Amino acid sequence: MTEVVGFGALNLDKIYSVDKIPRADEEGFVKDVKLYPGGSAANTIVGLARLNIKTAYIGKVGSDEEARILLADFEREGVETTLIVRAEGRSGNAMIFVDEKGNRAILVDPGVNDTLRYDEIDIEGARKYRLVHLTSFICKNGLDSLESQKKIVEEFEYVSFDPGMPYAERGLEDMKKIIENTTIFLPSRQEIEILFGMNYREAAEECLQMGVEVVAVKLGSGGCWIRNRDREVRVKPLTVRVVDTTGAGDAFNAGFIYGFLKEKDLEECGKFGNLVASHCIQRFGARDGLPRLSELSL
Ligand SMILES: Nc1ncnc2c1ncn2[C@@H]1O[C@H](COP(=O)(O)OP(=O)(O)OP(=O)(O)O)[C@@H](O)[C@H]1O
Ligand SMILES: [Mg+2]
C-alpha cells in the first residue's frame, strides 16, 4: 500500500504588486506578479511529499496555462498526478492585488474545481493509497466535488478531514457522512465550534461518538489540543519569528498525518504538527517553508 492521496481544490494564486487598486473606470499598473500554487489539501500533500511520504492528488484542472503550472509543480515535488482530471474550461485561480500600502483586493475564480463527478475519478487507482485527506471546495459552481467526497470516504482504510471555514459553515447535517467516516478530524477551534454549535471540547466528544478516532483542534499561537477515546492532550507550539501564517493549518495537518502514519502517540503527532507548522510560518506563502525530512531533527 502506498500512502496518502489528497482530495480538494487546486488553485493558482497570482499575487500582483500594483501601484494602486483601481475602482470602476480607473486604471492601475502591475509592477510585479508572483505565482503560488495552492489549495489547502494540495499544500498538505506537498508537505507530506517533502517528508518522503508517497503521495497523489485527486482534483480537477482546466485546459489552460494555470493547469500546466499546477501539474508541473506537483511533479517537481514528487506528487503523483495521474488521478487529476483534466477538463475543458479554466483552472481554479485567485488574483490578489496588493498596493504599495499593503491594501489587498482579491478575485477568486473557482473554475472547474467544484465540478468533479464521482464517475470521473479513477477509484481503483485511488484505492492503492492507505489514507485520503479531504479539504473543502467552495461549492460556488455546484456540489459535484463535495458529493464525490461523501462517496469516496467509504473506499479508504483511513480518512483525514480538515473542514476549513467553507465546510464548517455548511453545517453538521451536510458534513455528517464525511465525519462519520473520518479517522483523523483536523479543524481549527473556530471551525469545530461553528460546525457543532458548542465549545470545542464538547464538540470533540460528539465527534468520537460519531466514529472519529482522533480529533486534533488547531489553536493558532496556542498550539493544538488532541483527543481520542482514551485521553486528551494539549501540545504547546514552538516559539518562532512569525513572517506569514498562510497555510499554517495545512502544514500542521502534514506533520500530524506523518506522525499518525508512523504510529506515534497523540502527543508526538501534535508535536510533529506544531513543528511542521512552525517551519511554514517563518517563510512567506503556504509552501516555501514546508520542511524536508532532512531539515527536521526528529
Ligand atoms: N504564532 C504562532 N506561533 C507558533 N505556532 C503557530 C502560530 N500560529 C500558528 N501556529 C501553528 O500553526 C498551527 C495551525 O495554525 P491555526 O490554528 O492558525 O490553523 P488554521 O486556522 O487552520 O490556519 P489556516 O489559516 O492555515 O487554515 C497551530 O496549531 C500551531 O501549531
Ligand atoms: Mg485551516
Side-chain angles (χ1 to χ4, degrees):
M1 271 278 199
T2 40
E3 309 215 76
V4 182
V5 58
F7 185 174
L10 279 168
N11 297 308
L12 187 64
D13 288 346
K14 303 169 197 164
I15 304 197
Y16 293 90
S17 302
V18 297
D19 65 338
K20 70 169 179 183
I21 294 168
R23 298 179 192 217
D25 299 323
E26 282 184 0
E27 201 169 86
F29 294 94
V30 174
K31 297 192 291 184
D32 193 19
V33 55
K34 287 203 166 68
L35 304 181
Y36 295 90
S40 181
N43 296 336
T44 296
I45 286 298
V46 167
L48 284 163
R50 291 198 192 163
L51 298 175
N52 295 347
I53 297 293
K54 188 155 170 34
T55 53
Y57 206 75
I58 301 168
K60 194 166 185 175
V61 293
S63 47
D64 48 14
E65 178 63 8
E66 286 81 356
R68 195 191 60 71
I69 295 168
L70 290 166
L71 295 174
D73 194 71
F74 266 159
E75 268 147 33
R76 202 164 34 241
E77 298 284 354
V79 178
E80 173 73 59
T81 58
T82 51
L83 301 172
I84 296 172
V85 175
R86 283 86 163 161
E88 291 297 308
R90 296 186 310 279
S91 302
N93 66 94
M95 288 147 276
I96 301 158
F97 303 95
V98 186
D99 72 10
E100 282 149 4
K101 293 185 193 125
N103 298 309
R104 279 171 179 245
I106 305 179
L107 286 170
V108 178
D109 177 3
V112 296
N113 269 310
D114 295 328
T115 66
L116 183 52
R117 294 190 320 275
Y118 193 70
D119 63 40
E120 293 179 291
I121 302 172
D122 170 8
I123 297 295
E124 278 319 300
R127 277 173 49 92
K128 297 196 182 88
Y129 291 81
R130 218 160 58 146
L131 183 149
V132 66
H133 176 67
L134 307 179
T135 59
S136 53
F137 286 93
I138 298 293
C139 302
K140 276 263 183 255
N141 291 334
L143 297 172
D144 285 339
S145 301
L146 169 56
E147 291 304 322
S148 299
Q149 289 179 318
K150 288 183 185 177
K151 266 191 160 159
I152 214 169
V153 287
E154 289 173 357
E155 302 286 346
F156 289 86
E157 181 183 3
Y158 299 123
V159 176
S160 58
F161 177 39
D162 179 340
M165 263 311 182
Y167 280 5
E169 285 171 345
R170 294 189 75 83
L172 190 53
E173 198 46 46
D174 202 7
M175 290 301 122
K176 200 164 162 239
K177 172 79 193 294
I178 297 178
I179 295 173
E180 283 174 345
N181 286 280
T182 292
T183 321
I184 312 169
F185 189 43
L186 295 158
S188 69
R189 175 177 180 172
Q190 191 191 19
E191 289 154 8
I192 194 173
E193 293 190 340
I194 285 175
L195 189 53
F196 283 83
M198 55 183 80
N199 105 16
Y200 70 93
R201 287 165 176 270
E202 292 163 2
E205 192 65 47
E206 293 284 319
C207 290
L208 297 181
Q209 274 170 28
M210 291 171 77
V212 174
E213 263 178 48
V214 190
V215 183
V217 180
K218 287 165 271 186
L219 303 173
S221 58
C224 64
W225 176 87
I226 316 165
R227 174 79 214 263
N228 69 8
R229 213 150 288 154
D230 307 318
R231 53 195 292 257
E232 61 171 83
V233 45
R234 170 84 187 271
V235 189
K236 289 209 188 86
L238 287 89
T239 308
V240 294
R241 201 175 70 88
V242 181
V243 173
D244 175 19
T245 61
T246 305
D250 306 332
F252 176 92
N253 296 342
F256 196 93
I257 293 166
Y258 179 83
F260 178 86
L261 292 170
K262 300 291 174 192
E263 297 180 10
K264 303 294 181 187
D265 66 21
L266 283 195
E267 187 160 10
E268 284 284 295
C269 291
K271 280 186 184 165
F272 282 150
N274 288 344
L275 178 63
V276 175
S278 76
H279 279 260
C280 171
I281 63 183
Q282 291 177 73
R283 297 279 292 272
F284 187 78
R287 294 189 186 175
D288 277 5
L290 290 171
R292 296 184 188 284
L293 201 53
S294 54
E295 292 169 53
L296 300 178
S297 41
L298 297 179

